[in-house]
Amino acid sequence: MSDSPESIEILDRLAAEALAELEKASDSQALERWHTTYLGRKGKVTLSVRRVGELPKEERPVFGQRANQLKQRLEAAYEERVQLVKAQEIEKALVEGAIDVTLPGRPVLRGRLHPSTQTLRRILQIWADMGFQVYRSRDVETDEYNFQLLNFPPYHPAREMQDTFYTTQPDVLLRTHTSPGQIHAMREYCPQPIRVVLPGMCYRYEQITARSEIQFHQVEGLAVGYNIRFTDLKGTLTDFAQRMFGAGRKTRFRASYFPFTEPSAEMDVECILCNGKGCRLCKYTGWLEILGCGMVHPTVLQNGGYNPNRYSGYAFGMGVERIAMLRYGIEDIRYFWSNDLRFLEQF
Amino acid sequence: MKVPISWLKDYVDILLSVTELAERLTLAGLEVSGIEYLGIEGASLPWDRDRIVVAHILAVRPHPNADRLVLADVDYGAGQVETVVTGAPNLFPYLGKDIRHLNLKSPFALEGALLFDGHKDDGSKMVLRGRAVRGIMNRHMLCSEKELGISDDHTGILILDADAPTGMPLADVLGTAILDIELTPSMARCASIIGVAREVAALTGQRVRYPDYTNLPLEGPSLSERVVIKTENAPLNPRFCAALIEGIQIGPSPYWMQLRLRLAGMRPINNVVDVSNYVMLEVGQPNHAFDYDALRARADRYAGSGQPIQIITRLAREGERIQTLDGVERVLQPFTMLVTDPAGPLSIGGIMGGAESEVHAGTRNILLEAAAWDFINIRRSVQAYGLNSEAAYRFSRGVHPAQAWFGALRAAQLIQRLAGGVIARDIIDYYPAPPPAITVDLPLAEVRRILGVDLPPQEVRRILEALEFQVDEPEKDVLYVTAPDHRMDIGADVVGRADLIEEIARVYGYDRFPNTQIEDVMPPQRDNLALLHEELIRDLLVEAGLQEVMTYRLTSPQREALLCPPGATLDKRPYVTIANPINPERTVMRHSLLAGILDVLAQNLRQRERVVVFELGPVFLPSSEGSELPDEVPALCIVLAGQREPVVWQGSDTRLMDFFDLKGIIEALLEGLHVSRPTFQPADNPTYYPGRTANVLVDNETVGVFGQLHPLVQEAFDLPRQVPVLAAEIDLRCLETHIPSHFTVRPLPRFPVVRQDIALVVDENIPAQQVEAAIMQAGGRLLAGVRLFDVYRGAQIGSGKKSLAYTLTFSAEDRTLTDQEVARVQARIVRSLESSLGAQLRG
Ligand SMILES: [Zn+2]
C-alpha cells in the first residue's frame, strides 16, 4: 500500500487547479462557469469522485473521505468567493449609479382653486365651525330686496353708499351686497332662529381700477334669535378675526352706519403687515378695515317676519377679495378676474 | 367735511390733542380720514413762533432808490420799529399816508425764519437772510400767503384783520389743524361746525357754546307788509324764514372769514355770499340771498307797483324752465320744488338760485331765505339735474326745520355786521308744517336686551342728555326721551329705541363692551346640497389637474355672438341688460361661460404652451316661469388647449391635446360624482367642430356638450389656428339631479380574476360605445370589466373596418372560474357581436 496512491494525487492536483481557477473568476458569470466546470453535475470534481468505483477496494475509504473533504473545501471557497464578488459588483454598481440629484423633478401637473374660492372656503369653514350654514341667493335682484326691505327707501341718501347697476327692467338690478339674502333667509326660516352665512357675487357701478372692481364676492352673516346681543356680535367677530388673521391679533369696533343694522359698527384688525405700528398698507393708522356689522335693524327683522320686540339679531358682511388682498399682499384687485395663470398658479 | 379745529373751538372747549380727538370721533362714527395742519406742528411749514409774528404797519415810505419798492415801518411788539423793503403792490395805496389808525396788520417774518420761496412753484423753502435791497439793508419780511403756505397767492402781502394782536405768534392767530371727516348719511346733522361741536361736547363731557342770536338790531321798516310768503306744498317745504337787510355795501369779507371758508373748502366771493356760506358751514342751514330790488322789479312788472311781493313755493309746472346762477338754462321736472313769484320761478328750492335775482356787486337790499325742504324730494331733484352744491348736499341728507330760524337770524346778524345796512324789524317765519316732537319710551331692559350688558341708569341718562336729548323717567327704569330739534334720525317706537340704543352704545364706547359667545338656542342645522355638489366638482377637477378661473359675469351680446360662426343661428334669448353700463364690454349678464373663458385662454396661450382651466358659476337665462328675474343656472365650462405635457428634460408627451383628453376629464368627473354610467352621442352644435363634438348623457338626459371648437370660432377669439381648443359646457342644474346622495362600494373579488384579450373587427361606422355595450350585455354576470386598449385600421383588416382590442376581466363571487367557463363566456360574446354588429374575431 503506497503512502500516496495515484488516485489521491490526482485529487490533490485537481484541488489545486480548481482553487487557482477560482481566484481568477472575478464576476458572477465567471463564478457560475467555474462552478459548472468543477462542481456541476458533469464537473471535473464530480466526475473524479464518481470514479471511486474504479479503485481497488482498499483505497476506496480513504479516497472517498478525501474527495468529500475536497468538495466541501471547494464549495466553501466558492461561497466565499461569491460573496466577495457580489460585494465588489454592488460597490461598482453604486459608484456607477450616482446621479445629479440637483436636476429638476418631473413636474406634477397640479390643478388649483381660484384664490377667491380658497379664501371663501376658509371664511365659510370658520363660520361653519361656529354653527353658521351657507345660504345663497340670486345675483339679479329686485330693488325691493336689495334696498327697500333693508331700510333704504327710494331716493334715500344711504343709496349713495352703493353705486348700482340697474337693468332695463324697472326695479330690477344687480345686487350691490349679499344682504338681500338676509330677507330671503328670514322669510324662509321664520320663526326659527337663524345662523347663516351668505356668500355671493356683488356688483357696484365703479370704474375698474387697481382698488375697485365692478364685481366682487361678499360674505354676509346673519344670526337671529331670542337673545342675540351686541356683545355676542363683538365676541364672535373677534373669534373670527383671530382665526382668519392669527391668534392674538387685536380688533377694534367703531361706530358706523348701515341702514339695515343698528347699532352699526366697522371692525378693524391690527395691521397684519406692521402689527399696528403704521405702514403704507394701513395708511399709517395701524388698523385695517375688515368688515361692517351691527344689530339687525328692527325694520329689517319685521320685514323678515320676526317681531323686533321679541327677537334680536346681528349681521356682518365682508369682502372676500379684500381679505385675500390683505392676506396675500395683492396690490391690484384686477388680478382676480384677469385670470393670468402666472398669478393663479401662485396659490 | 373739513373742520378747522380753531373754528370748532369757538363752540366747544377741546382738552384732547388733535390725534386723540380724531381717534375719539372715529370710534364714535365720525370717521376722521385725514388731518391737515396749517402753520402748526404737523404742517409742511410750521410757523416759527419766535420769528413769524403779527406786525402793525405804521407807515409806508418811498424807497430812495427804486420806484417799484417801498419801505414799511412796522411794530412787531418788540418795542422798536423795524423797517423792511417790500414790493407788495397792495401797500402802494398807503404810500406817504397816515395809516397808523387803520391798524394794518400783516405777518412779519424775522431773519432766520423758514418760509416757502415765493418765487418758486415747486414748494421749495428758504431761510430768511438779511441782504441789501437797492442800497437799503433788509433783514426781515412782510409775508404773502404763498410764503406762509396758506395759498398760492403771491400778488401782495397778507393783510390780517385789524384786531390781530401785534406781536402775537402767527401760529396762534391763524394756525390750526383741520380734520377731514367722512360723514355717513346718518350723521347729516354733523355737516356743520356746530354739529361736530355737539358731538365733541357729548364725547368729551363739555358743553356747546352756541352763537348769540339775541339782540339783533331790528331797525328797518316792516318786511311782512312788503313780502308775502306761501307754499302750495307744505310737506315738501315745511318752513320758510325770510329777513330783509337794506342798505348794505357789497365788499370783501374779513380775513378770518375768508380763511375759514377756504380751510373748509369753499371759495370766498364777497361779504354777502361769504356770510351765506359761512352760516351754512357753521349752523348747517343752507340759505339764499336774493337781490330784493330784482324781486321788487318783477313784482312791479307783473302786478303793478306797490303790491307786496308774493313768494310762493310749489312744484314745477309742465315745461317750466329757469336759468340757474351757474348760467345753465334748465327744464324743470314736475317733482321739483321751486321758489317762485307770480312771474315764474326764482330758484330751485334748496338747490340753486336763479340768475335773475342773483346778488351782484351793486346789490343794496337783500332778501334772505332760510327754508326747510323734504330731503328725499331734494335728493331726487339733485339726481335729476346732476347738481351737487354744498346746499344740496346738506338738504338732501336732511336739515331739521328748526334750524331754518337759527340760520335766518345768524345770517342776518352777520350780513348786517359785515356789510352794514339795517335789518327789517320783523323776520318772517312761515312754518306751515312743523314736525311733531319725537318722544321715545326706552325701558332700560331693552338696552340690556340689545347690548347685552347692564349700563348704569345714570350713565344712560348722562349720555342722552349730553347729546341734548330731554330725558324724563316717569316710572322706574323707563326713560321717556325726546329728541332735540337738530335731529331727524330718531324714529318712533321700536325703531326709535334702536336709534337711542345706538347713540348710547356709540357714546359709551364700543370698546368698553365685553366679548361674549352666543347663548341663544342653536337653529336647526341644514346642509346646502347644491353648494356641496359644486365644491365636489371643483375638487374633482382640481384633482384632475385643472386650474379654476373666474371671469366677469357681465359681458356683451357681441362677445357671446362670436360663439356662433357666420351662418349659424344666433342665440336669440333676451339678456338681462344693464341700463347704466360702465363700459361697452360689460352690458349684459352672460348666457354662457364659454366666451369669457375663451378670452382667458387666448390671453394665457400667448405666454405658455399649455392651458387647462375651468370655471363654475351661474349663467343668466330668461325665466322659465315668466318671472321678471332671470333663472340663474349653475354651469361648468372646461377649456383645454396646447401640449399634453410641458417640455421637460426627462422627455414628455408634447403632442397637442385632443378630444379624448377632454373626454377623459369628463369621464373622471362623472365617475367622481358617482352618477350612473354616462353615454355619449355625436352632437351638432354651431360652436363646435362637426364630427368632433358629443353630447354627454346621464340616465338618458343630456347634461352637456363638449368637443373641439369650430375653427371659425377659434379664429373669432384670436386663438391660434394650429392648436385645437377643446371645450365642454355642462349644465350643473341638470347634472345635479343625477348625483346620488350616497353610493356603495363593490366587495373586492375573493377568487382569482381571469384576463383575456380579444380583438374584434367591426365596420368603421359602428361607435365603440355600442361595441362595448354589446360586450357587457353578452358577457353577463361573470364579465367584470371591459377595457379598450387598441384601435387598429389598416390593410390587414380591409378598408371601412376597424379592429378594437379589449382586455376582458372575468370573475365570480363564489368560485374560481375554470378555463372552460371563461372560454364559454368569451365565445358567447363573440357570437353575440357577430350576429348583432357583424363583428369578427380577429385571429
Ligand atoms: Zn400697517
Side-chain angles (χ1 to χ4, degrees):
Chain A
M1 197 173 148
S2 68
D3 268 334
S4 164
E6 192 192 359
S7 57
I8 300 287
E9 268 171 37
I10 290 169
L11 271 185
D12 285 348
R13 255 188 275 121
L14 188 56
E17 175 200 324
L19 287 173
E21 284 300 314
L22 185 61
E23 279 301 309
K24 289 183 199 156
S26 61
D27 60 33
S28 313
Q29 283 145 1
L31 277 169
E32 200 89 339
R33 278 198 305 275
W34 180 89
H35 195 266
T36 313
T37 309
Y38 292 99
L39 297 172
R41 271 197 301 143
K42 290 179 181 168
K44 289 183 184 175
V45 175
T46 314
L47 293 176
S48 307
V49 171
R50 262 190 222 146
R51 244 178 269 140
V52 68
E54 298 164 15
L55 293 178
K57 214 171 202 153
E58 63 278 12
E59 285 184 20
R60 285 182 195 170
V62 178
F63 182 86
Q65 196 185 3
R66 204 52 184 267
N68 273 331
Q69 280 172 356
L70 171 64
K71 239 178 122 176
Q72 279 167 17
R73 218 177 106 209
L74 288 179
E75 284 288 0
Y78 170 75
E79 275 312 314
E80 197 181 325
R81 185 71 188 161
V82 163
Q83 291 305 323
L84 182 72
V85 167
K86 196 169 156 195
Q88 281 170 349
E89 277 179 348
I90 287 173
E91 180 64 24
K92 186 162 170 263
L94 290 181
V95 169
E96 286 170 356
I99 54 168
D100 178 359
V101 296
T102 65
L103 282 168
R106 183 177 280 280
V108 171
L109 303 178
R110 188 158 76 82
R112 292 170 183 81
L113 293 169
H114 190 278
S116 292
T117 303
Q118 294 188 23
T119 310
L120 197 53
R121 281 191 178 184
R122 174 72 182 137
I123 294 169
L124 296 183
Q125 180 58 51
I126 295 173
W127 288 106
D129 291 351
M130 297 197 268
F132 287 73
Q133 282 136 24
V134 174
Y135 185 96
R136 297 190 295 181
S137 66
R138 50 175 40 264
D139 287 20
V140 182
E141 263 295 356
T142 58
D143 186 273
E144 185 188 17
Y145 273 82
N146 193 74
F147 287 128
Q148 293 169 43
L149 293 171
L150 292 165
N151 206 22
F152 293 77
Y155 300 104
H156 192 274
R159 291 195 177 207
E160 268 170 36
M161 298 161 76
Q162 304 192 355
D163 291 318
T164 308
F165 280 117
Y166 296 94
T167 72
T168 48
Q169 283 262 16
D171 296 324
V172 174
L173 44 77
L174 306 190
R175 67 173 167 195
T176 54
H177 47 186
T178 42
S179 315
Q182 290 190 23
I183 304 284
H184 289 295
M186 282 193 272
R187 289 188 169 180
E188 186 173 334
Y189 296 149
C190 183
Q192 291 172 354
I194 296 179
R195 249 168 260 180
V196 291
V197 270
L198 313 120
M201 193 69 89
C202 302
Y203 307 82
R204 298 272 173 97
Y205 180 88
E206 302 221 18
Q207 294 303 325
I208 300 172
T209 69
R211 329 202 76 222
S212 67
E213 257 294 0
I214 56 171
Q215 70 176 31
F216 58 93
H217 284 99
Q218 211 178 51
V219 175
E220 186 121 342
L222 174 70
V224 175
Y226 287 108
N227 183 29
I228 306 280
R229 306 158 300 187
F230 181 68
T231 50
D232 297 337
L233 168 71
K234 280 192 72 183
T236 0
L237 285 173
T238 304
D239 287 350
F240 168 77
Q242 302 254 324
R243 288 188 60 187
M244 195 73 203
F245 299 101
R249 192 146 299 278
K250 286 199 200 97
T251 50
R252 77 171 184 186
F253 289 78
R254 62 194 157 73
S256 188
Y257 169 71
F258 308 102
F260 43 99
T261 53
E262 189 166 37
S264 299
E266 301 255 11
M267 183 177 80
D268 299 340
V269 302
E270 196 181 27
C271 179
I272 52 179
L273 199 64
C274 66
N275 293 321
K277 286 181 205 72
C279 68
R280 204 164 60 91
L281 181 65
C282 58
K283 296 189 199 116
Y284 303 95
T285 62
W287 296 99
L288 298 171
E289 206 175 300
I290 294 300
L291 54 82
C293 56
M295 301 302 289
V296 181
H297 195 281
T299 304
V300 176
L301 279 174
Q302 218 146 27
N303 290 340
Y306 291 84
N307 179 351
N309 288 309
R310 295 184 58 220
Y311 288 89
S312 56
Y314 69 64
F316 56 85
M318 65 194 95
V320 174
E321 283 73 33
R322 172 167 169 77
I323 288 179
M325 289 172 83
L326 294 174
R327 269 166 70 98
Y328 301 113
I330 301 164
E331 296 199 334
D332 192 332
I333 195 173
R334 290 171 296 193
Y335 282 6
F336 286 91
W337 318 137
S338 65
N339 294 296
D340 192 317
L341 293 174
R342 293 169 298 184
F343 169 66
L344 298 178
E345 285 177 353
Q346 293 180 50
F347 290 88
Chain B
M1 188 177 113
K2 303 229 182 207
V3 180
I5 297 278
S6 54
W7 192 355
L8 192 60
K9 281 181 170 169
D10 279 6
Y11 318 104
V12 63
D13 290 333
I14 294 171
L15 306 175
L16 302 175
S17 74
V18 172
T19 48
E20 284 167 343
L21 178 67
E23 160 109 0
R24 191 78 187 87
L25 287 169
T26 297
L27 289 176
L30 287 161
E31 188 182 352
V32 177
S33 58
I35 307 175
E36 290 165 46
Y37 297 88
L38 177 70
I40 60 174
E41 198 189 326
S44 52
L45 180 85
W47 301 326
D48 186 332
R49 300 174 62 84
D50 296 326
R51 292 194 174 86
I52 304 178
V53 299
V54 175
H56 181 185
I57 302 171
L58 304 171
V60 181
R61 295 182 282 123
H63 190 290
N65 307 323
D67 290 344
R68 308 180 72 173
L69 295 172
V70 291
L71 303 181
D73 297 332
V74 305
D75 165 13
Y76 67 97
Q80 73 201 54
V81 172
E82 275 290 339
T83 298
V84 292
V85 182
T86 171
N90 56 342
L91 281 188
F92 279 70
Y94 305 111
L95 192 58
K97 294 190 180 143
D98 178 13
I99 57 168
R100 200 174 273 256
H101 67 284
L102 291 178
N103 278 320
L104 214 53
K105 304 286 175 61
S106 184
F108 184 63
L110 289 133
E111 185 168 20
L114 183 67
L115 295 170
F116 283 110
D117 190 332
H119 300 287
K120 292 198 180 135
D121 288 328
D122 58 359
S124 56
K125 297 172 191 167
M126 52 144 192
V127 175
L128 187 58
R129 294 271 171 248
R131 64 187 178 98
V133 181
R134 289 297 192 95
I136 303 229
M137 189 58 192
N138 191 35
R139 295 189 188 287
H140 316 304
M141 189 164 94
L142 291 165
C143 306
S144 69
E145 287 198 343
K146 186 176 180 184
E147 282 153 345
L148 294 166
I150 299 175
S151 76
D152 290 336
D153 187 358
H154 192 53
T155 55
I157 60 164
L158 164 55
I159 302 296
L160 299 165
D161 292 324
D163 59 0
T166 300
M168 186 181 266
L170 186 69
D172 293 345
V173 182
L174 302 183
T176 185
I178 304 114
L179 304 180
D180 197 348
I181 300 181
E182 279 182 25
L183 291 179
T184 59
S186 59
M187 288 287 181
R189 65 182 183 280
C190 294
S192 66
I193 306 295
I194 288 179
V196 174
R198 286 192 192 104
E199 283 291 317
V200 172
L203 294 171
T204 60
Q206 300 294 321
R207 292 197 74 80
V208 180
R209 285 185 299 273
Y210 287 99
D212 184 6
Y213 309 115
T214 56
N215 299 321
L216 255 61
L218 301 177
E219 290 156 352
S222 170
L223 168 62
S224 52
E225 287 163 15
R226 291 183 277 167
V227 174
V228 177
I229 293 167
K230 266 220 275 296
T231 183
E232 293 180 2
N233 196 327
L236 297 185
N237 174 209
R239 193 175 198 181
F240 198 115
C241 302
L244 179 65
I245 305 108
E246 291 174 284
I248 59 129
Q249 182 76 49
I250 300 278
S253 52
Y255 189 75
W256 63 267
M257 181 176 277
Q258 293 191 23
L259 184 63
R260 282 183 170 183
L261 290 174
R262 283 211 304 242
L263 294 180
M266 298 196 78
R267 202 161 50 88
I269 312 277
N270 61 44
N271 45 13
V272 170
V273 176
D274 290 356
V275 166
S276 177
N277 287 330
Y278 185 87
V279 169
M280 175 178 67
L281 293 172
E282 182 194 49
V283 184
Q285 171 66 43
N287 54 89
H288 181 67
F290 293 97
D291 183 306
Y292 176 75
D293 296 322
L295 299 182
R296 183 71 259 166
R298 275 167 67 108
D300 290 348
R301 274 204 309 276
Y302 193 84
S305 60
Q307 297 299 313
I309 297 169
Q310 305 270 347
I311 289 185
I312 304 132
T313 68
R314 58 165 172 84
L315 289 172
R317 296 188 182 125
E318 191 66 40
E320 228 170 350
R321 292 162 175 269
I322 186 175
Q323 189 183 9
T324 42
L325 48 75
D326 54 4
V328 180
E329 172 97 8
R330 294 174 194 277
V331 180
L332 297 160
Q333 300 287 334
F335 48 78
T336 298
M337 280 297 281
L338 303 175
V339 178
T340 69
D341 63 8
L346 293 168
S347 71
I348 305 179
I351 298 179
M352 193 172 270
E356 190 180 342
S357 54
E358 193 184 352
V359 170
H360 53 90
T363 296
R364 302 282 297 155
N365 306 312
I366 276 173
L367 184 73
L368 188 89
E369 164 207 322
W373 308 95
D374 176 79
F375 72 105
I376 296 287
N377 188 258
I378 289 275
R379 187 162 177 277
R380 197 173 173 196
S381 292
V382 165
Q383 286 191 333
Y385 307 115
L387 264 175
N388 226 335
S389 61
E390 289 276 343
Y393 169 84
R394 285 168 178 78
F395 275 136
S396 68
R397 280 162 180 73
V399 180
H400 195 284
Q403 300 302 306
W405 180 244
F406 302 119
L409 293 179
R410 182 65 165 160
Q413 179 189 50
L414 287 174
I415 286 174
Q416 195 274 335
R417 213 178 271 169
L418 302 185
V422 290
I423 306 171
R425 70 168 179 267
D426 48 350
I427 292 176
I428 294 178
D429 181 15
Y430 176 65
Y431 202 173
I438 291 164
T439 301
V440 180
D441 59 301
L442 179 66
L444 291 169
E446 186 68 3
V447 179
R448 182 177 59 242
R449 180 174 81 97
I450 300 298
L451 297 181
V453 289
D454 268 315
L455 296 177
Q458 322 81 275
E459 179 67 359
V460 171
R461 198 179 175 123
R462 184 197 67 76
I463 289 170
L464 290 170
E465 285 176 347
L467 289 164
E468 301 185 23
F469 287 93
Q470 188 194 317
V471 182
D472 296 315
E473 196 171 349
E475 49 185 296
K476 189 166 161 40
D477 292 340
V478 179
L479 306 182
Y480 277 67
V481 183
T482 304
D485 65 7
H486 55 267
R487 295 197 66 145
M488 300 182 72
D489 60 326
I490 306 297
D493 302 325
V494 66
V495 172
R497 288 193 279 278
D499 294 334
L500 294 177
I501 288 167
E502 174 169 66
E503 292 302 290
I504 294 162
R506 189 174 69 80
V507 174
Y508 183 75
Y510 285 180
D511 49 338
R512 293 169 67 193
F513 287 90
N515 293 343
T516 57
Q517 299 300 326
I518 300 183
E519 288 168 7
D520 207 49
V521 291
M522 189 68 137
Q525 299 291 288
R526 301 176 179 89
D527 259 335
N528 188 320
L529 263 190
L531 178 67
L532 287 175
H533 289 150
E534 285 176 23
E535 295 295 52
L536 175 59
I537 290 168
R538 283 196 173 92
D539 286 340
L540 287 166
L541 292 171
V542 165
E543 283 164 23
L546 278 77
Q547 168 69 52
E548 187 189 16
V549 299
M550 282 192 196
T551 63
Y552 287 105
R553 294 181 185 180
L554 286 155
T555 182
S556 70
Q558 296 77 17
R559 200 76 200 148
E560 292 205 334
L562 296 180
L563 294 171
C564 266
T569 319
L570 277 169
D571 175 2
K572 291 242 176 61
R573 294 169 298 182
Y575 280 101
V576 174
T577 304
I578 304 303
N580 56 333
I582 197 107
N583 70 44
E585 281 140 45
R586 311 275 168 231
T587 58
V588 299
M589 297 304 278
R590 65 188 177 193
H591 277 173
S592 145
L593 301 181
L594 188 54
I597 207 169
L598 287 179
D599 288 338
V600 170
L601 176 68
Q603 170 206 325
N604 281 291
L605 273 182
R606 285 181 206 124
Q607 299 147 14
R608 55 181 67 215
E609 67 283 356
R610 177 179 184 274
V611 177
V612 292
V613 292
F614 73 97
E615 176 167 12
L616 195 160
V619 294
F620 301 82
L621 305 175
S623 168
S624 52
E625 290 157 3
S627 162
E628 55 177 353
L629 298 174
D631 287 347
E632 303 187 359
V633 183
L636 167 67
C637 186
I638 300 173
V639 160
L640 326 174
Q643 292 175 8
R644 197 157 291 135
E645 292 175 359
V647 176
V648 292
W649 65 272
Q650 297 98 330
S652 47
D653 182 355
T654 56
R655 287 172 298 170
L656 296 174
M657 286 183 278
D658 62 24
F659 180 89
F660 297 102
D661 290 273
L662 177 56
K663 188 173 178 188
I665 290 168
I666 290 169
E667 286 169 333
L669 170 67
L670 296 176
E671 191 185 288
L673 294 174
H674 298 279
V675 299
S676 48
R677 207 176 164 76
T679 54
F680 298 88
Q681 286 175 352
D684 192 16
N685 184 306
T687 304
Y688 294 88
Y689 196 121
R692 294 189 181 179
T693 307
N695 283 330
V696 50
L697 293 85
V698 177
D699 299 328
N700 292 318
E701 188 184 11
T702 302
V703 298
V705 62
F706 69 98
Q708 186 175 334
L709 223 53
H710 195 290
L712 291 174
V713 173
Q714 220 165 297
E715 193 182 305
F717 279 89
D718 267 342
L719 290 157
R721 179 191 301 253
Q722 67 282 9
V723 180
V725 172
L726 296 317
E729 294 168 275
I730 312 283
D731 179 342
L732 292 187
R733 181 173 59 176
C734 184
L735 176 60
E736 208 202 348
T737 60
H738 299 282
I739 301 176
S741 59
H742 65 279
F743 64 91
T744 52
V745 298
R746 289 181 303 276
L748 298 179
R750 286 158 59 213
F751 298 94
V753 167
V754 181
R755 287 200 178 79
Q756 292 283 332
D757 290 350
I758 61 168
L760 294 161
V761 178
V762 294
D763 282 349
E764 182 68 75
N765 60 9
I766 295 177
Q769 185 174 262
Q770 202 178 336
V771 177
E772 188 174 320
I775 294 173
M776 290 295 285
Q777 208 198 347
R781 273 189 321 114
L782 298 182
L783 178 63
V786 181
R787 187 163 54 82
L788 179 70
F789 68 86
D790 190 38
V791 178
Y792 174 79
R793 295 177 180 85
Q796 286 183 34
I797 54 169
S799 67
K801 302 270 183 189
K802 62 188 171 188
S803 161
L804 304 172
Y806 293 94
T807 297
L808 307 181
T809 314
F810 300 94
S811 72
E813 287 172 18
D814 52 355
R815 63 188 188 279
T816 302
L817 291 175
T818 63
D819 291 351
Q820 292 92 323
E821 276 180 297
V822 171
R824 219 179 302 132
V825 179
Q826 190 167 323
R828 190 169 76 218
I829 291 171
V830 172
R831 266 199 317 279
S832 167
L833 268 76
E834 276 170 1
S835 66
S836 65
L837 301 175
Q840 293 193 331
L841 190 64
R842 193 173 163 208

